[in-house]
Amino acid sequence: MLFWKTENRIEPKRDFYSKIKEYYFRISDNQIPMELLNEIISKVTDRIYSDYKRFWKQYLKSRKRYSTLKMDDIENPYIHFLLTDFLKTKDVVDYRNFSKILLKMNDEEFDEYLEYKNWYETK
């Protein structure tokens, strides 16, 4: 019996996009304008896919790990920073509320997040 060794590859970007889209659609629950949500999904997908490609090339022993999207990576603080920075720079009127929805936070948690973000960026 022959066993063929298959080369690990990164799944297509469209697969990352589909998973990320499903995730954000579910948590936003139609509370965020569709156009804005699509921009967010594209931005997050671009960042995560770019990181995966870089890590896949950089960490040869971890190629399997960086071959498919791990949903935990969407919860990474860096992605949270990306998200809130994007909303803030777009000057979205409801920036705070949209951020809380997408980050699954209440007012107190979001205030703590902003303090941590500020500390992290100024340390």
Side-chain angles (χ1 to χ4, degrees), residues 52-80:
Y52 269 56
K53 278 177 41 179
R54 184 168 41 88
F55 297 152
W56 195 84
K57 290 176 184 172
Q58 189 174 351
Y59 304 112
L60 300 178
K61 291 184 178 185
S62 297
R63 282 191 165 178
K64 184 174 181 179
R65 190 269 185 245
Y66 293 109
S67 295
T68 59
L69 176 64
K70 306 293 183 268
M71 294 309 288
D72 288 346
D73 290 341
I74 294 175
E75 296 295 332
N76 184 294
Y78 183 76
I79 297 301
H80 288 178

Side-chain angles (χ1 to χ4, degrees), residues 35-94:
E35 184 177 325
L36 180 61
L37 190 58
N38 283 327
E39 284 183 77
I40 290 166
I41 293 165
S42 291
K43 187 130 188 104
V44 171
T45 300
D46 288 348
R47 167 53 55 174
I48 290 177
Y49 194 75
S50 171
D51 288 346
Y52 269 56
K53 278 177 41 179
R54 184 168 41 88
F55 297 152
W56 195 84
K57 290 176 184 172
Q58 189 174 351
Y59 304 112
L60 300 178
K61 291 184 178 185
S62 297
R63 282 191 165 178
K64 184 174 181 179
R65 190 269 185 245
Y66 293 109
S67 295
T68 59
L69 176 64
K70 306 293 183 268
M71 294 309 288
D72 288 346
D73 290 341
I74 294 175
E75 296 295 332
N76 184 294
Y78 183 76
I79 297 301
H80 288 178
F81 296 168
L82 175 77
L83 224 162
T84 52
D85 288 347
F86 174 73
L87 290 172
K88 199 168 195 171
T89 56
K90 288 221 24 119
D91 208 18
V92 174
V93 175
D94 214 357

